[in-house]
Amino acid sequence: MLLQRRRARAGARARHAGEHTVNWADGRLPVSEGGGLLRKAFPEHWSFLLGEIALYSFVVLLLTGVWLTLFFKPSMTEVVYNGSYEPLLGVRMSEAYRSTVDISFDVRGGLLIRQVHHWAALVFLSAIGVHLLRIFFTGAFRRPREVNWLIGLTLFVLALAEGFAGYSLPDDLLSGTGLRIAQGIMLSIPVVGTYVSMFVFGGEYPGEDIVPRLYSVHILLLPALLVALVTVHLILVFYLKHTQWAGRGRTNRNAVGKPMFPQFMTNSTGLFLMVFGLLTVLAAVAEINPIWTYGPYRPDIVSTGSQPDWYVGFLEGSLRLMPPFETAVAGHTVMWNVLVPAVLLPGALFAVLYAYPFFERWVTGDQEEHHLCDRPRDKPVRTGLGVAAIVFYGVLLLAGGNDILAHTFDVSLNLLTWIFRVSLVLAPPLAFVVTKRVCLALQEHDRERLAEGDETGEVHQTLAGGYAESHGPLDPEEHYVLRARRQPEPLAPSAKEGDAPHVGRLRATLSEWYYGDRVDVEETERGRESAPEAAAAADAAGRDSYSGEPER
């Protein structure tokens, strides 16, 4: 009894202290107003973690980057190496290269932090890329999230620039070769190319200012922009709420999942620790960017088999595949073999990505808000376009290593280059056609499952003497998802006053191409679910999962 009374008194004191602390904080901070925010629902599907992986990789980049700035010297002043790495003793090099070698061999834990930083950069860009693909294939870029799609793409572009700037700072032979290619790309820009190159490099190549300028951009300008856009991106995610997969109890008017506190915060903290731990393990066991084997950069030397990081590999491939083609205009030479693959092609690719949400909305005439994800098979044209773009990128990425592939597999470099050129033209359309047919086949399979149910594996003999497999009813949740698919009708040619006839015809043609080929889901007696049963199932699903307050 005495022990119970002591426990009761201790509990009462703890409650009183907690109430006093909350009241004190609430009088000075918006604590009570944040209660609704702490109960915000987050989806549980694994695909929604891709954005978090990108965010936590960025956090690791910031932490390790701050540490590296304490030891790196962004100077191109020439010095003679006299450190602990004997193969470089007496070699003349820039102070930037020497400080990077010193970080790797003379600073305790320096090599580990350097490699954590580099691996985190690769994972950061990879996670953003895969996250963007998830958003594209599920239609999560549609209204009201067009602005967030634009912000996400801008983050990807800035991350590419940030990665290239950091990759170029050590001033080793590999990164110096990349900077030489970048200078050639600048020079290919008509009229202003030479001025751009002189401004960036501070004079004739290689100049004395490129490393200090890249350093300022890498640690100040681009990180500030990234932090600002990530903040805006997260604010919009909270305001617009997450998309979610279709299911019983999930609609365009609610959000079903785990509340932010404590479930989501606990899981998210665990994910951050896992990302940090795996990056550290990678840095400890997988060597990356061993600059001491490349040596310091010299303008008269090009490293053999130089391969950039994967995120700029497609630019390397496009440069290697473009045939030599130049035009002389009024005494000036336009280098199409550099301008087209390294300036116009990337610009066109990102312009298409920026414009796609608005293009799809114009073609489909869809002005509604969407908070439920599409299954990729339900939008065969969009999915086909996405796969074609991935194949196009993949061909360019492989072409960026055509010399390594030719040497490894003992094939002709010229033959391999022509194979990649032909593949760049033929593979994306073929991938589009195949993907579209696969999506339609999957839609047909879904229709058959709704009509007949799932195969049970049991075979019985029919009255006619043949054999047939028995079918059972679908799982209610899966049946709901299959029945939830709705395909809009293609648009008719516009008859509105003031509309140009050819624009209306073009829009109708594109709409027919986008929505014309499809498999409509037909309601069957076996799969039909009455309205009361559907309502009861939705209520049950709502009781099983946390659903946030109806938003917007």
Side-chain angles (χ1 to χ4, degrees), residues 521-541:
V521 176
E522 298 177 359
E523 189 172 13
T524 62
E525 291 298 328
R526 179 185 299 226
R528 187 175 299 161
E529 184 178 31
S530 66
E533 291 171 342
D539 290 341

Side-chain angles (χ1 to χ4, degrees), residues 183-514:
Q183 194 245 358
I185 294 172
M186 297 174 197
L187 291 176
S188 72
I189 303 174
V191 182
V192 299
T194 52
Y195 298 100
V196 172
S197 175
M198 292 285 285
F199 172 76
V200 171
F201 288 91
E204 292 290 341
Y205 180 86
E208 296 291 331
D209 299 333
I210 183 62
V211 169
R213 289 179 177 180
L214 283 177
Y215 183 71
S216 300
V217 169
H218 183 68
I219 71 166
L220 293 176
L221 179 61
L222 290 178
L225 292 174
L226 285 169
V227 169
L229 286 179
V230 166
T231 303
V232 175
H233 184 73
L234 293 177
I235 290 174
L236 287 177
V237 167
F238 272 79
Y239 174 69
L240 298 173
K241 78 181 181 182
H242 281 81
T243 54
Q244 57 188 346
W245 293 100
R248 293 187 298 175
R250 297 181 178 93
T251 69
N252 275 318
R253 297 181 298 276
N254 70 349
V256 178
K258 296 179 179 179
M260 180 176 178
F261 181 83
Q263 287 91 335
F264 174 76
M265 291 182 64
T266 303
N267 294 346
S268 191
T269 302
L271 179 63
F272 169 69
L273 296 176
M274 289 176 62
V275 169
F276 206 153
L278 287 174
L279 288 174
T280 305
V281 171
L282 268 176
V285 303
E287 183 182 72
I288 190 169
N289 198 26
I291 61 164
W292 52 89
T293 64
Y294 306 143
Y297 177 65
R298 285 176 49 185
D300 59 329
I301 298 177
V302 176
S303 57
T304 303
S306 58
Q307 303 297 313
D309 285 333
W310 72 267
Y311 48 86
V312 290
F314 77 101
L315 282 178
E316 180 82 10
S318 63
L319 285 167
R320 296 188 184 196
L321 293 187
M322 183 70 181
F325 182 40
E326 299 177 353
T327 302
V329 180
H332 298 278
T333 300
V334 180
M335 300 182 295
W336 299 107
N337 54 326
V338 179
L339 180 66
V340 171
V343 179
L344 300 183
L345 178 64
L349 288 176
F350 280 101
V352 169
L353 290 174
Y354 275 108
Y356 184 83
F358 309 98
F359 167 78
E360 182 175 306
R361 186 175 63 184
W362 178 74
V363 168
T364 61
D366 185 3
Q367 301 294 335
E368 297 180 1
E369 289 193 0
H370 295 274
H371 301 289
L372 295 178
C373 295
D374 290 331
R375 294 192 309 164
R377 69 180 66 179
D378 294 337
K379 295 293 185 286
V381 173
R382 180 203 296 156
T383 303
L385 290 173
V387 172
I390 293 173
V391 170
F392 184 82
Y393 174 84
V395 172
L396 291 179
L397 186 62
L398 289 174
N402 60 352
D403 54 343
I404 302 296
L405 294 174
H407 176 74
T408 303
F409 296 102
D410 194 22
V411 296
S412 168
L413 178 61
N414 291 332
L415 174 63
L416 194 60
T417 300
W418 274 105
I419 290 174
F420 283 131
R421 286 174 177 170
V422 173
S423 299
L424 190 65
V425 176
L426 298 182
L430 180 62
F432 172 81
V433 172
V434 171
T435 302
K436 183 178 178 181
R437 299 313 306 174
V438 169
C439 289
L440 293 174
L442 291 172
Q443 289 184 26
E444 178 65 29
H445 178 62
D446 289 342
R447 190 191 67 79
E448 291 177 358
R449 292 181 64 202
L450 280 172
E452 303 175 3
D454 273 333
E455 298 175 350
T456 62
E458 298 178 359
V459 179
H460 63 274
Q461 190 172 18
T462 65
L463 294 176
Y467 291 91
E469 189 171 13
S470 300
H471 292 76
L474 292 177
D475 177 76
E477 179 71 20
E478 193 166 4
H479 178 271
Y480 183 94
V481 172
L482 296 181
R483 290 288 300 148
R485 179 167 66 91
R486 294 292 181 268
Q487 287 282 41
E489 293 292 332
L491 296 176
S494 176
K496 292 181 180 179
E497 239 180 82
D499 282 355
H502 60 279
V503 174
R505 287 194 297 270
L506 174 63
R507 186 183 184 190
T509 301
L510 291 174
S511 183
E512 176 65 28
W513 168 70
Y514 201 90

Side-chain angles (χ1 to χ4, degrees), residues 49-229:
L49 299 179
L50 296 170
E52 292 183 47
I53 293 175
L55 175 63
Y56 296 145
S57 301
F58 183 54
V59 172
V60 174
L61 277 172
L62 292 177
L63 294 175
T64 54
V66 169
W67 189 90
L68 290 172
T69 58
L70 302 177
F71 302 97
F72 181 73
K73 298 178 181 178
S75 170
M76 298 187 71
T77 303
E78 195 173 65
V79 296
V80 177
Y81 182 74
N82 59 356
S84 60
Y85 186 67
E86 293 186 1
L88 289 176
L89 288 176
V91 176
R92 304 185 71 84
M93 58 186 65
S94 67
E95 200 166 6
Y97 181 80
R98 174 177 172 168
S99 66
T100 309
V101 175
D102 288 341
I103 290 173
S104 303
F105 294 108
D106 297 321
V107 176
R108 185 178 297 275
L111 181 59
L112 179 66
I113 300 299
R114 262 198 67 229
Q115 299 209 144
V116 169
H117 190 72
H118 202 122
W119 277 115
L122 297 183
V123 173
F124 177 52
L125 279 154
S126 302
I128 293 179
V130 179
H131 180 57
L132 286 171
L133 289 176
R134 198 275 299 176
I135 292 173
F136 178 83
F137 284 118
T138 61
F141 55 82
R142 295 171 296 176
R143 183 182 177 189
R145 296 177 180 81
E146 301 97 331
V147 173
N148 233 7
W149 168 261
L150 301 181
I151 291 174
L153 272 177
T154 306
L155 280 170
F156 187 61
V157 174
L158 292 176
L160 289 174
E162 175 77 339
F164 181 76
Y167 165 85
S168 304
L169 285 179
D171 197 32
D172 60 286
L173 189 56
L174 182 61
S175 65
T177 302
L179 279 176
R180 188 69 174 99
I181 295 173
Q183 194 245 358
I185 294 172
M186 297 174 197
L187 291 176
S188 72
I189 303 174
V191 182
V192 299
T194 52
Y195 298 100
V196 172
S197 175
M198 292 285 285
F199 172 76
V200 171
F201 288 91
E204 292 290 341
Y205 180 86
E208 296 291 331
D209 299 333
I210 183 62
V211 169
R213 289 179 177 180
L214 283 177
Y215 183 71
S216 300
V217 169
H218 183 68
I219 71 166
L220 293 176
L221 179 61
L222 290 178
L225 292 174
L226 285 169
V227 169
L229 286 179

Side-chain angles (χ1 to χ4, degrees), residues 31-44:
V31 174
S32 58
E33 287 82 355
L37 181 64
L38 294 178
R39 300 300 295 171
K40 179 178 175 62
F42 283 80
E44 301 182 47

